[in-house]
Amino acid sequence: MNLSEVEIDQKAVITKIKGRGTFRKRVMEMGFVKGKTVHVIKQAPLNDPIEYEIMGYHLSLRRKEAEMIEVVSMEHIVEAAANQTENLTIEEVIKNEVEDHGRIVNVALVGNPNCGKTTFYNYASGSKERVGNYSGVTVDAKTAKFEYEGYTINITDLPGTYSLTAYSAEEIYVRKFITEQNPDVIINMVDASNIERNLYLTTQLIDLDVKVVVALNMYDEVEARGDKLDYISLGRMLGIPFVPVVSNKGRGFGVLFDTVIRAFEDKSPTIRHIHINYGHDIENSIKEIQEKIFIHNDNAILSRIPSRFMALKLLEKDADIKKIVLTNTIEGEHSHNTYKGGFETNEHRTTHTDAPSCIIEETDRQIASLEDAYKNDTESLITDTRYGFIAGALKETYTVGHTDTRKFTDRIDRVLTHRIWGMPIFLLIIFLMFEVTFILGDYPMQWIESGVEFLGDLMHGVLPDGALKDLICDGIIGGVGGVIVFLPNIVLLFMFISIMEDSGYMARVAFLTDRIMHNIGLHGKSFIPLIMGFGCNVPAVMATRTLENRSDRLLTTLINPYMSCSARLPVYAVMAGAFFANHQGLVTFSVYGVGVLIAGLTAILLRKTTFKSQDAPFVMELPPYRFPTVRSVLKHMWEKAQQYLKKMGGVILIASIIIWVLGYFPQHTEETDRIEAQIAQAQGNDSLVAELEIELAYAHQEGSIIGRLGKFIEPVIAPLGFNWKMGVSIITGVAAKEIVVSTMGVLYHGDGEDTASLSEKLVSDTSTDPLTPAQAYGFMLFVLIYMPCIATAVAIRKETGSRKWMWLSIGYSVALAWIVAWVVNMIWG
């Protein structure tokens, strides 16, 4: 817990001092060190600041500053002393508690996109976050915990970012996490094969004055091409330890975490804070702005963000830092202390009412002076200086080898990104992906289908007639079994997607499609979240955060549901297997193509009517091609198989049982009683009894609760050529698209004792008008378009920050799906 959480008149023992620089040094000088007892005396009438007693004297801290001090309550220590069996004194118990709580290390992973952060995170912590060789895979902070050498490591994987300037959502997110959460140590993951560009972010971490350990990832590639890096000397120059690692093989992890612990314990001989020299004129400007910040800004903010960093960002025209300066001046206290750490003394000064303008006016004055002297904007001046600093450091420590590994990537790119052949090759790859998915997947699919049919026959023969038998055979086996047979297709699809992502080809796809995306009003980088939608729309919607322009983010979010996710694949497999058996891959490919076409047309419509804005620049890294590791691909396939099987045992099973219950009751209606009477009279005429029993099954279904629901909505879907069973499946599929198939499995297997596959049932069903290929294709398109699942709808609301966009997406999709299916039925049917 933090000191700010301790109640009045309670005591606590200090376990850790967070924060950085002047604040940390000052509070430790004032007696706030590990193991000391703090007594909370009282709070000011307006709840802030709070008076504390420590080491026999009284002082006060604001709540914001007290949040930077971690403690363990005295109540907890007394309880621990009462429960211990070693007969330790209270002082020894306090010492043990401080040591235990002081061995929790909060680590943040920071680095450029494609530097291998998430691979490292997964390998180190045993987590299962998605890895991809392109930007935007990690779109939120992911945290895991593990034990190392008696320490508890809480490691957080932050989104990839090229800098800490407020240009994109990721950069703002990462900077706020560092300044607000105050991780104990930052692991700066650096692509060692591209070290000059990656160290730009490192220079900004130096300016931020935080504890950093640099992990030189992919160091094996540096060694393979013969480069020499004196990383020990480089670390001494920058005041940061450098440790070579190879994330996908787990090399160097032990040395890295040993270094992290030494940094945490302030025992690293390398770590020291340096100031990057930006030249005489810029340094003078920084100094002038710093002085204004010291006078007019809230010291609680300076405990989190160094004044030098703030001054630099103001010179770089960083809008977010400007907002922080203004906001915290306006909301600050009416009196300020003379200490940088926020302690109250007898000296007070009055806050100037024009404090915000003082800081901003001084910034504007310094920017104008520098730009006039150098005939260049200040952002470029500071950027050039940082790269000059990096070049100077590497000149003394880095020697380039003679092997050019980039030639391998260039040779592949001559083909895959060819001006003429690049796009046809991409379309061919996607087409082959679907063809191979169905061809290879057909064999294990048949095995699973045979197993489901065998289990159904076995249950029919073993279980006595009654509700339990019907539930197990028609509800559970018919519903869950009808979906589980498509597991091989799902796994194979994700295998191909994983290979394309891990190899670096996805970034090339964005390169290939930027012109097309631009013509429909989207950014080339929008293609990455869209292509991710083929796997699952939820993370794909979240991945739109990688787009700098809000208009692009909203537009990409709204069209993402038209990218056909893997949950829809079972529907296509059922319909294509039943009505297009010889062309399953081609038909499915066409459905995906229709989804892309609809997304494009919708983007054009929205861009011309709602989202009119300037284009964002297309700047995207094209990483070198890398061979996907078998471990990574198999892990991704296994994760997706697990997720699919969990759905089978969770939402699909529950939905199947609910659908069965709604289709089972009521047991008797006027129509069923009439047919049962006819069966009783026809005893002895086996053929007539068989016909009447089939008629009874159909009558029971139509008279059930779900049958009546289906009949109620049938007039709406009748123009599309859909029967009531398909209508019910569409309704239940709102929860998750796999439920469309499980619902059809329950309804069609409820017709009688036959346990044939669902595809066979669709073709042979005589309870309604036989489906035509046109109606089947229309149904596939309807399921593709009609509305995002509940999870995707929630993600849209969350990412857009408004229910308006969620309901727009739902309403537009349902109307469009009806129109498209109606057109297909009218023209083809």
Side-chain angles (χ1 to χ4, degrees):
M1 66 188 300
N2 297 325
L3 182 57
S4 60
E5 300 173 74
V6 181
E7 300 291 336
I8 303 299
D9 204 32
Q10 299 296 312
K11 294 183 179 180
V13 177
I14 298 170
T15 59
K16 184 192 294 184
I17 307 297
K18 299 188 288 186
R20 38 138 302 278
T22 306
F23 168 80
R24 194 166 188 271
K25 180 181 178 182
R26 176 56 89 188
V27 294
M28 293 179 72
E29 288 174 348
M30 299 298 290
F32 286 86
V33 293
K34 287 198 296 186
K36 294 299 180 182
T37 301
V38 183
H39 185 195
V40 183
I41 305 300
K42 64 176 181 290
Q43 61 187 19
L46 298 179
N47 295 330
D48 214 7
I50 302 172
E51 181 182 342
Y52 299 98
E53 180 187 0
I54 187 169
M55 297 176 66
Y57 73 99
H58 291 228
L59 75 167
S60 63
L61 286 177
R62 295 194 186 97
R63 287 186 181 276
K64 280 287 185 184
E65 291 148 354
E67 287 175 3
M68 309 290 283
I69 301 172
E70 290 188 3
V71 297
V72 57
S73 69
M74 190 60 72
E75 288 180 357
H76 175 83
I77 290 172
V78 171
E79 183 180 345
N83 294 332
Q84 51 107 2
T85 57
E86 295 88 352
N87 295 321
L88 301 177
T89 64
I90 192 72
E91 289 78 14
E92 290 172 326
V93 172
I94 289 175
K95 181 181 177 182
N96 290 341
E97 287 289 328
V98 170
E99 286 182 356
D100 290 343
H101 285 79
R103 295 173 78 85
I104 299 173
V105 189
N106 297 316
V107 176
L109 267 178
V110 177
N112 289 185
N114 306 311
C115 70
K117 288 186 303 81
T118 304
T119 303
F120 173 85
Y121 173 83
N122 289 343
Y123 210 114
S125 64
S127 298
K128 299 177 181 178
E129 294 305 325
R130 184 69 195 101
V131 177
N133 191 12
Y134 60 92
S135 64
V137 176
T138 306
V139 293
D140 207 345
K142 306 291 190 300
T143 300
K145 181 168 71 173
F146 61 94
E147 302 295 322
Y148 180 80
E149 300 293 335
Y151 287 81
T152 299
I153 309 290
N154 295 317
I155 187 167
T156 301
D157 181 22
L158 296 172
T161 178
Y162 292 107
S163 79
L164 297 179
T165 302
Y167 178 64
S168 69
E170 292 94 336
E171 291 168 351
I172 296 174
Y173 185 96
V174 171
R175 189 169 72 192
K176 284 187 175 180
F177 183 93
I178 294 172
T179 56
E180 293 177 7
Q181 299 301 319
N182 287 289
D184 299 313
V185 181
I186 291 173
I187 295 179
N188 178 203
M189 190 66 60
V190 167
D191 180 355
S193 64
N194 191 10
I195 189 168
E196 185 172 5
R197 207 281 315 287
N198 277 241
L199 284 179
Y200 185 81
L201 177 60
T202 309
T203 62
Q204 295 194 320
L205 292 171
I206 290 172
D207 289 331
L208 197 53
D209 189 14
V210 289
K211 284 184 184 178
V212 180
V213 174
V214 170
L216 291 166
N217 195 24
M218 307 177 200
Y219 201 74
D220 53 341
E221 295 185 14
V222 175
E223 295 172 327
R225 66 190 187 194
D227 295 358
K228 302 292 182 183
L229 175 62
D230 185 356
Y231 55 85
I232 295 176
S233 296
L234 180 61
R236 288 180 185 142
M237 291 172 60
L238 302 187
I240 296 172
F242 282 68
V243 180
V245 298
V246 182
S247 290
N248 60 1
K249 298 176 183 176
R251 279 174 44 189
F253 284 27
V255 177
L256 178 63
F257 283 112
D258 287 341
T259 307
V260 167
I261 289 170
R262 283 198 297 273
F264 171 72
E265 297 287 3
D266 294 318
K267 296 178 180 178
S268 173
T270 305
I271 290 181
R272 61 188 175 90
H273 179 56
I274 67 167
H275 277 180
I276 296 171
N277 191 330
Y278 288 93
H280 180 267
D281 294 335
I282 295 177
E283 287 293 339
N284 279 343
S285 295
I286 293 171
K287 183 178 178 182
E288 292 295 330
I289 297 171
Q290 273 186 284
E291 288 182 0
K292 297 293 184 184
I293 291 172
F294 282 142
I295 294 171
H296 299 299
N297 214 267
D298 191 335
N299 292 319
I301 298 303
L302 295 179
S303 68
R304 289 170 162 78
I305 307 176
S307 61
R308 180 179 174 83
F309 182 84
M310 293 176 72
L312 272 165
K313 289 303 168 188
L314 287 171
L315 285 174
E316 290 182 279
K317 304 172 186 176
D318 188 302
D320 192 61
I321 288 292
K322 182 178 179 181
K323 181 180 177 182
I324 288 173
V325 169
L326 295 174
T327 302
N328 284 282
T329 302
I330 293 167
E331 295 178 357
E333 303 297 325
H334 291 289
S335 63
H336 293 258
N337 46 38
T338 54
Y339 292 171
K340 301 293 187 294
F343 299 97
E344 299 295 335
T345 69
N346 292 327
E347 294 184 47
H348 295 276
R349 60 177 179 267
T350 303
T351 302
H352 297 284
T353 56
D354 61 345
S357 61
C358 288
I359 300 172
I360 302 307
E361 283 175 9
E362 182 62 39
T363 299
D364 292 341
R365 190 160 43 248
Q366 296 300 329
I367 288 174
S369 174
L370 289 170
E371 292 184 346
D372 182 62
Y374 289 92
K375 308 303 179 187
N376 201 352
D377 60 89
T378 49
E379 303 102 299
S380 299
L381 291 173
I382 293 172
T383 299
D384 290 344
T385 306
R386 285 197 181 108
Y387 274 119
F389 172 80
I390 294 167
L394 291 178
K395 186 176 182 180
E396 299 182 31
T397 57
Y398 189 66
T399 305
V400 178
H402 302 292
T403 305
D404 186 4
T405 56
R406 182 77 195 185
K407 288 181 179 178
F408 171 73
T409 291
D410 293 340
R411 283 196 296 267
I412 298 176
D413 271 346
R414 288 193 193 105
V415 179
L416 295 184
T417 61
H418 190 272
R419 188 170 64 88
I420 297 173
W421 302 114
M423 186 59 70
I425 289 173
F426 165 64
L427 295 174
L428 178 62
I429 288 172
I430 298 298
F431 172 72
L432 290 176
M433 178 177 74
F434 291 119
E435 279 291 304
V436 174
T437 294
F438 283 106
I439 292 170
L440 290 183
D442 187 56
Y443 298 102
M445 182 178 169
Q446 288 181 17
W447 302 334
I448 297 173
E449 196 171 82
S450 298
V452 171
E453 290 182 12
F454 172 77
L455 182 61
D457 291 336
L458 180 65
M459 293 296 103
H460 266 293
V462 172
L463 295 174
D465 291 340
L468 179 62
K469 176 181 177 179
D470 293 339
L471 170 62
I472 293 174
C473 295
D474 300 333
I476 297 175
I477 297 177
V480 177
V483 182
I484 200 171
V485 295
F486 301 107
L487 176 63
N489 302 111
I490 300 292
V491 171
L492 285 170
L493 178 66
F494 274 100
M495 179 190 75
F496 285 109
I497 292 176
S498 177
I499 290 172
M500 287 194 292
E501 289 176 344
D502 292 356
S503 65
Y505 182 60
M506 282 298 194
R508 272 69 186 182
V509 172
F511 171 78
L512 289 170
T513 57
D514 178 63
R515 180 64 180 271
I516 298 172
M517 303 297 284
H518 182 76
N519 288 339
I520 65 174
L522 284 172
H523 194 282
K525 286 172 70 174
S526 295
F527 200 80
I528 298 298
L530 293 179
I531 206 75
M532 288 175 68
F534 288 147
C536 180
N537 294 138
V538 175
V541 166
M542 295 172 65
T544 58
R545 298 176 193 174
T546 60
L547 303 173
E548 291 84 6
N549 187 297
R550 173 171 167 78
S551 177
D552 289 336
R553 289 198 299 274
L554 281 171
L555 191 51
T556 308
T557 295
L558 292 175
I559 68 171
N560 202 291
Y562 304 121
M563 299 295 106
S564 189
C565 67
S566 60
R568 297 172 172 106
L569 187 60
V571 181
Y572 308 153
V574 166
M575 289 297 177
F579 298 95
F580 308 98
N582 296 326
H583 305 286
Q584 288 188 62
L586 180 61
V587 169
T588 303
F589 176 72
S590 72
V591 174
Y592 278 75
V594 170
V596 174
L597 178 63
I598 289 173
L601 294 175
T602 302
I604 293 172
L605 175 65
L606 292 175
R607 182 63 82 184
K608 290 186 178 296
T609 58
T610 308
F611 297 104
K612 296 179 181 179
S613 67
Q614 293 183 336
D615 291 335
F618 179 71
V619 181
M620 183 172 184
E621 181 182 0
L622 295 176
Y625 287 104
R626 293 188 172 96
F627 287 105
T629 63
V630 175
R631 179 179 180 272
S632 173
V633 174
L634 291 178
K635 182 180 179 182
H636 191 206
M637 293 168 66
W638 172 242
E639 287 168 10
K640 294 305 172 184
Q642 278 185 311
Q643 291 176 14
Y644 198 68
L645 290 172
K646 283 180 181 177
K647 271 191 175 182
M648 297 303 101
V651 63
I652 305 299
L653 175 62
I654 294 169
S656 297
I657 293 173
I658 292 172
I659 297 301
W660 176 84
V661 170
L662 295 177
Y664 193 77
F665 297 101
Q667 277 290 290
H668 297 283
T669 63
E670 264 186 50
E671 185 64 14
T672 58
D673 289 343
R674 182 185 64 80
I675 297 172
E676 284 178 352
Q678 290 179 341
I679 291 174
Q681 293 174 0
Q683 291 303 316
N685 187 342
D686 293 341
S687 61
L688 179 57
V689 168
E691 290 178 11
L692 289 171
E693 285 179 345
I694 293 174
E695 188 179 343
L696 175 64
Y698 293 152
H700 176 253
Q701 271 202 337
E702 292 184 359
S704 66
I705 298 171
I706 204 163
R708 293 171 186 175
L709 174 62
K711 289 295 183 179
F712 176 76
I713 65 170
E714 196 167 30
V716 178
I717 60 174
L720 314 181
F722 301 167
N723 59 50
W724 69 268
K725 295 180 182 179
M726 298 163 74
V728 170
S729 300
I730 289 169
I731 293 174
T732 58
V734 169
K737 293 300 185 287
E738 297 97 336
I739 298 178
V740 172
V741 174
S742 67
T743 301
M744 295 176 75
V746 173
L747 295 178
Y748 280 92
H749 282 87
D751 292 345
E753 299 294 309
D754 184 14
T755 58
S757 70
L758 179 55
S759 294
E760 293 170 347
K761 286 274 193 177
L762 284 168
V763 175
S764 61
D765 181 41
T766 59
S767 65
T768 58
D769 292 334
L771 286 178
T772 65
Q775 291 161 351
Y777 192 72
F779 185 73
M780 294 165 71
L781 293 180
F782 193 96
V783 171
L784 163 73
I785 304 167
Y786 78 105
M787 71 172 288
C789 67
I790 290 175
T792 303
V794 170
I796 291 173
R797 186 194 63 76
K798 181 180 177 183
E799 294 304 313
T800 61
S802 171
R803 289 185 175 85
K804 175 183 71 174
W805 298 116
M806 179 186 75
W807 288 114
L808 173 66
S809 175
I810 292 171
Y812 175 80
S813 299
V814 171
L816 183 62
W818 195 96
I819 292 170
V820 169
W822 179 78
V823 169
V824 169
N825 189 44
M826 290 296 292
I827 294 176
W828 186 3

